[in-house]
């Protein structure tokens, strides 16, 4: 996969040189470049913003530097299907909400471009114009406001990058993590089995794999019911067995349909 990030703060993206994503880049599993939007300006002051038409607070990012930058990154060579249309992710609190399903979807793409807005955002015409050469997706990290797209890009690149083949040493760890089956993950414990008067649940010490699997599934359902009732409401009934439904009933939840 190739990823290009356009920002006025390239230093913000330095953490992408570390840890798993940094290693994936070194190993050639991910090709990632960060571009300074100001390099695509033509005036002496390298201006990227201006006042909003219609009035109001703050500044808006000017269209021309963005068009120059996006034309430049769209022309970058990409491994894989050279015919495929690159996806332009525009981090914005006004976008669709990022989740694990979208991370899996983006992990199948050959070329992702992230356009980090600052101030009050990017001139809307840039998004319209971009639709001719990109699949454009405004994406939000959640219902809160950040100062710009950079932190959102760090989160999304990490969530997508770890799903690329070969990036995580043991891909089985992807199967049982939170959100992989629509539920939060079960709690985990390690040695010692007794610590400060707190014991590891006995079932986990029993060696009975069927009982352990059931215990963990119950804990997932319990935790999700308590912390994320919205996820329980959205569960696909076909993914629930009789024991799951019995557990949910014991928690006062009657899965419908
Ligand atoms: N930029 C500002 N707020 C944001 C958010 N919640 N998600 C993504 N990008 C943003």
């Amino acid at each position: 996969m190739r990823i290009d990030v356009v920002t006025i703060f390239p230093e913000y993206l330095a953490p992408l040189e570390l840890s798993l994503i940094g290693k994936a880049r070194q190993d050639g599993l991910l090709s990632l470049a960060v571009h300074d939007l100001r390099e695509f300006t033509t005036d002496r002051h390298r201006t990227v913003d201006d006042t909003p038409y219609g009035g109001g607070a703050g500044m808006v990012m000017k269209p021309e530097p963005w068009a120059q930058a996006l034309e430049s990154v769209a022309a970058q060579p990409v491994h894989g299907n050279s015919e495929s249309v690159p996806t332009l992710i525009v981090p914005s609190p006004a976008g669709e909400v990022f989740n694990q399903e979208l991370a899996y979807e983006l992990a199948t793409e050959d070329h992702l471009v992230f356009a980090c807005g600052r101030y009050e955002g990017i001139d809307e015409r840039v998004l319209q114009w971009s639709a001719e050469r990109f699949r454009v997706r405004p994406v939000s990290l959640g219902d809160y406001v950040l100062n710009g797209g950079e932190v959102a890009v760090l989160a999304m690149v990490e969530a997508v990058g770890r799903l690329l083949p070969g990036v995580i040493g043991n891909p089985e760890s992807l199967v049982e993590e939170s959100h992989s089956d629509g539920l939060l993950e079960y709690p985990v414990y390690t040695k010692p089995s007794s610590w400060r008067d707190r014991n590891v649940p006995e079932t986990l010490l029993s060696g009975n794999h069927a009982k352990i699997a059931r215990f963990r599934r119950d804990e997932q359902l319990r935790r999700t019911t308590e912390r994320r009732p919205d996820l329980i409401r959205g569960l696909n009934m076909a993914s629930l067995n009789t024991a799951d439904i019995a557990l949910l009933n014991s928690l006062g939840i009657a899965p419908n349909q």
Side-chain angles (χ1 to χ4, degrees):
M1 170 183 280
R2 181 182 173 97
I3 295 182
D4 288 284
V5 183
V6 183
T7 169
I8 56 167
F9 293 122
E11 301 88 344
Y12 234 115
L13 286 307
L16 297 178
E17 283 163 25
L18 305 175
S19 186
L20 223 66
I21 299 300
K23 173 116 191 332
R25 292 170 73 181
Q26 277 173 10
D27 293 348
L29 301 171
L30 170 65
S31 161
L32 190 150
V34 179
H35 311 268
D36 185 346
L37 180 68
R38 290 193 201 276
E39 297 292 319
F40 299 92
T41 56
T42 48
D43 65 313
R44 206 156 58 85
H45 300 290
R46 313 216 299 164
T47 312
V48 292
D49 62 337
D50 209 332
T51 52
Y53 277 118
M59 300 290 269
V60 174
M61 293 189 109
K62 290 164 70 65
E64 190 53 25
W66 274 110
Q68 296 291 337
L70 295 175
E71 265 170 351
S72 163
V73 297
Q76 302 286 340
V78 174
H79 282 292
N81 182 358
S82 57
E83 300 296 298
S84 71
V85 178
T87 294
L88 176 66
I89 313 267
V90 186
S92 160
E96 65 179 305
V97 176
F98 188 70
N99 60 18
Q100 191 64 15
E101 195 183 339
L102 182 50
Y104 271 106
E105 186 186 331
L106 296 178
T108 66
E109 307 263 339
D110 292 327
H111 191 190
L112 299 180
V113 176
F114 290 90
C116 298
R118 282 262 148 186
Y119 317 116
E120 298 306 308
I122 303 172
D123 187 306
E124 187 65 20
R125 291 167 296 178
V126 174
L127 278 74
Q128 297 161 358
W129 168 88
S130 299
E132 286 168 25
R133 57 217 85 208
F134 296 94
R135 201 168 305 119
V136 181
R137 293 184 86 152
V139 179
S140 171
L141 269 202
D143 293 339
Y144 45 83
V145 179
L146 303 167
N147 285 335
E150 288 78 5
V151 167
V153 170
L154 290 175
M156 289 189 268
V157 169
E158 181 157 319
V160 171
R162 63 195 291 282
L163 300 177
L164 299 177
V167 171
I168 288 206
N170 177 7
E172 265 192 32
S173 58
L174 297 177
V175 176
E176 296 207 340
E177 63 190 7
S178 286
H179 303 294
S180 59
D181 57 1
L183 295 172
L184 303 183
E185 72 185 344
Y186 50 76
V188 294
Y189 304 86
T190 187
K191 291 179 259 313
S193 62
S194 183
W195 173 76
R196 299 197 182 199
D197 291 336
R198 284 159 203 278
N199 297 328
V200 169
E202 224 157 89
T203 309
L204 298 178
L205 310 175
S206 70
N208 181 331
H209 296 296
K211 268 176 86 176
I212 292 173
R214 187 63 248 163
F215 172 82
R216 286 179 163 167
R217 180 84 178 165
D218 285 352
E219 290 300 301
Q220 280 191 281
L221 290 161
R222 242 187 225 116
R223 207 179 230 198
T224 312
T225 300
E226 188 182 317
R227 298 181 187 173
R228 294 292 303 276
D230 57 313
L231 294 182
I232 293 286
R233 282 192 293 274
L235 272 182
N236 173 5
M237 278 300 286
S239 71
L240 301 177
N241 59 33
T242 325
D244 295 337
I245 293 169
L247 191 275
L248 288 173
N249 287 341
S250 80
L251 296 173
I253 298 195
N256 37 17
Q257 301 115 42

